[in-house]
Amino acid sequence: MIYLKLLRESLMFALNALRTNKLRTLLSLLGVTVGIFSIIAVLAAVDSMDKGIRKDLDGYDNSMLNIFQYSFSPTDVPKWKIEQFPDMKYDEYEYLKRNVEGIDRISFNYYTSSQNIKSENATANSVNITSCGFDYQYLDNVKVDQGRFFSESEDASGNPVIVLGYEIAELLFPNSNPVGKSVRLYGKRFDVIGVLEKEGATSFGQSKDLQVYIPSNFLRQHFGENSNYLTPVIVTKPQKGYDSEIFKDDITLKLRTYRGLKPSDIDNFFLNEFAGLTDFIDNIVGSLNIVGWIISGFSLLVGGFGIANIMFVSVKERTHIIGIQKALGAKNRFVLYQFLFEAVILSFIGGLVGVVIVYFICVGVTATGKFDMFLSFYNIVIGLSLASFIGLISGILPAISASKLDPVEAMRTGM
């Protein structure tokens, strides 16, 4: 009961300090508020970004491979040598499709520049063109809302058919069903055979709402295999349960054999595994958290000094009260806990203000619809616990100095 009473009295002292010394207390708590705000804002932003990216990547298989001349991750192969690597060929795609065991899906794609797409009454500018094979709908987790995706025969023959993203369809054909109608792309007439489900904004990559899908063989026939406008890539993944290392080794061996590479020659292609991308994202998220903690740590350090300062001032102002308490029998630990509790409560209030500010920022950012930002209960606990810890550390020295005051000298100082 005495500790509960002590906590209540300390809370009253802290609140009284806030009321009677508003400017001084505000300036002292500002450091803690800014520090906690900085840390929780960084944690909330990084967690929200991480959650958004993982949601976007949820439909992808970690064992999926992108095979072409460039590497998604840092490599020891010099850039000038990579530039000399040959492009992937459609014949290599067919060879791998026939000879590699354990393939679940495989697609021959082209990375290409964005294009304008025209309907009778509207134009969509700078649209991302996804030129791919029939199997890519399963590799890219494509979900068709109206119509269908192009068939294997349409892919093989390079038919001018197109599947529109939701927003592209809305722009080109407002208030009407685009399926069965046509658009102009690459100077050709494309038949619209499908419209994708609405995906919304994404945290990683471009939303499928702003993309269109066409058969890669159309571009291969239109531009030729050696066009500088196209970067070919083979996308594949193994069957479920198939050993991914054996799968990669088999592809590497078959591709090296097909290209006639000697045992002493390095691979002139890269197998970019999707799991490597997720590891890369994890490293970025971890680095952002570390940087955020370092930057915010300086603010917390300033806030800690501010709390220590206000507590030393508080001890000096209440010296005579401490003397009276001790003269009436108060133990040293009673005085010690009294000032420690006060420091923790003051710091906790500063941390609480910082958390509340972050919460309203999260609500405001989410309301814009461009980025879903959330403040998790875990981050709230971290913020308030850290604020309390800063208050505890900052209040130790003032509390010890107050507990060791001589009652007679303390009362004389007050008089």
Side-chain angles (χ1 to χ4, degrees):
M1 292 299 294
I2 190 172
Y3 289 112
L4 291 176
K5 184 177 180 181
L6 183 59
L7 179 62
R8 184 179 64 83
E9 290 181 357
S10 299
L11 177 61
M12 296 305 296
F13 275 126
L15 294 177
N16 184 60
L18 286 173
R19 286 192 300 266
T20 57
N21 303 286
K22 295 182 178 63
L23 181 59
R24 186 185 71 187
T25 305
L26 176 63
L27 294 175
S28 299
L29 295 184
L30 189 59
V32 175
T33 300
V34 171
I36 297 300
F37 164 77
S38 302
I39 289 178
I40 301 306
V42 169
L43 291 178
V46 172
D47 286 352
S48 301
M49 181 184 69
D50 186 37
K51 184 178 180 181
I53 291 174
R54 296 190 184 282
K55 181 182 177 182
D56 297 339
L57 302 181
D58 188 51
Y60 296 94
D61 193 321
N62 277 347
S63 60
M64 189 169 68
L65 299 173
N66 284 264
I67 311 166
F68 71 133
Q69 70 184 93
Y70 298 106
S71 175
F72 287 165
S73 57
T75 175
D76 294 332
V77 182
K79 185 177 180 182
W80 65 266
K81 197 171 189 66
I82 292 177
E83 295 295 337
Q84 296 177 352
F85 287 174
D87 287 336
M88 304 305 298
K89 301 295 183 183
Y90 190 77
D91 291 344
E92 293 173 330
Y93 154 75
E94 291 188 319
Y95 175 78
L96 293 177
K97 187 176 182 179
R98 289 193 308 267
N99 294 280
V100 175
E101 294 183 6
I103 287 181
D104 179 31
R105 302 286 179 182
I106 185 167
S107 173
F108 186 78
N109 292 15
Y110 282 117
Y111 293 134
T112 185
S113 59
S114 57
Q115 298 290 326
N116 296 339
I117 302 178
K118 297 181 180 180
S119 64
E120 290 185 1
N121 301 313
T123 300
N125 297 313
S126 301
V127 178
N128 184 28
I129 309 296
T130 304
S131 174
C132 58
F134 165 76
D135 271 355
Y136 195 64
Q137 61 182 310
Y138 306 106
L139 293 166
D140 197 31
N141 195 31
V142 174
K143 298 177 181 178
V144 179
D145 181 37
Q146 302 176 50
R148 59 179 177 83
F149 203 76
F150 49 81
S151 66
E152 197 165 8
S153 61
E154 289 170 329
D155 169 33
S157 59
N159 286 5
V161 292
I162 189 169
V163 179
L164 304 178
Y166 180 84
E167 289 191 21
I168 301 300
E170 286 289 305
L171 176 61
L172 295 177
F173 302 97
N175 304 318
S176 64
N177 185 357
V179 177
K181 299 178 181 178
S182 63
V183 295
R184 300 286 296 182
L185 174 64
Y186 294 113
K188 300 288 185 179
R189 177 180 175 273
F190 277 74
D191 295 325
V192 179
I193 60 172
V195 177
L196 302 183
E197 288 184 4
K198 184 176 182 179
E199 184 180 56
T202 63
S203 302
F204 180 78
Q206 189 178 51
S207 170
K208 291 185 179 67
D209 296 344
L210 301 172
Q211 298 183 32
V212 299
Y213 292 77
I214 64 174
S216 57
N217 274 314
F218 171 85
L219 289 186
R220 192 166 72 93
Q221 296 167 7
H222 186 72
F223 289 106
E225 280 205 79
N226 299 316
S227 172
N228 293 328
Y229 296 102
L230 307 175
T231 301
V233 56
I234 297 174
V235 186
T236 185
K237 73 171 184 177
Q239 296 170 357
K240 189 174 183 180
Y242 197 87
D243 191 296
S244 60
E245 292 302 319
I246 294 177
F247 185 69
K248 289 188 291 183
D249 290 343
D250 194 15
I251 289 177
T252 301
L253 178 62
K254 295 287 176 28
L255 203 50
R256 285 180 62 88
T257 302
Y258 189 86
R259 291 188 169 185
L261 296 177
K262 299 176 183 179
S264 59
D265 294 335
I266 65 170
D267 295 339
N268 56 4
F269 55 87
F270 290 98
L271 272 61
N272 297 287
E273 192 170 14
F274 197 74
L277 179 59
T278 57
D279 292 340
F280 180 67
I281 292 171
D282 288 340
N283 291 333
I284 291 178
V285 170
S287 299
L288 289 175
N289 277 325
I290 292 173
V291 171
W293 276 94
I294 292 174
I295 295 174
S296 304
F298 289 105
S299 297
L300 282 175
L301 187 63
V302 174
F305 287 139
I307 294 294
N309 175 65
I310 194 176
M311 292 310 301
F312 275 118
V313 173
S314 182
V315 170
K316 188 174 182 179
E317 288 179 343
R318 299 195 334 241
T319 300
H320 64 291
I321 298 178
I322 296 171
I324 294 172
Q325 288 177 332
K326 284 198 166 189
L328 294 175
K331 303 293 184 181
N332 285 353
R333 68 172 183 271
F334 180 88
V335 178
L336 176 73
Y337 291 151
Q338 175 180 311
F339 282 93
L340 273 183
F341 281 148
E342 183 174 340
V344 170
I345 290 169
L346 288 172
S347 185
F348 181 86
I349 292 173
L352 185 62
V353 173
V355 170
V356 171
I357 293 173
V358 174
Y359 171 77
F360 282 111
I361 289 177
C362 290
V363 172
V365 171
T366 303
T368 63
K370 296 181 179 179
F371 180 68
D372 290 333
M373 188 173 179
F374 68 95
L375 179 60
S376 67
F377 179 75
Y378 175 73
N379 286 338
I380 294 176
V381 172
I382 287 179
L384 297 182
S385 300
L386 188 58
S388 301
F389 178 74
I390 293 298
L392 181 65
I393 297 300
S394 302
I396 285 179
L397 290 179
I400 291 176
S401 67
S403 66
K404 291 183 177 180
L405 287 174
D406 180 83
V408 176
E409 291 296 327
M411 286 189 293
R412 183 182 294 121
T413 300
M415 293 172 64

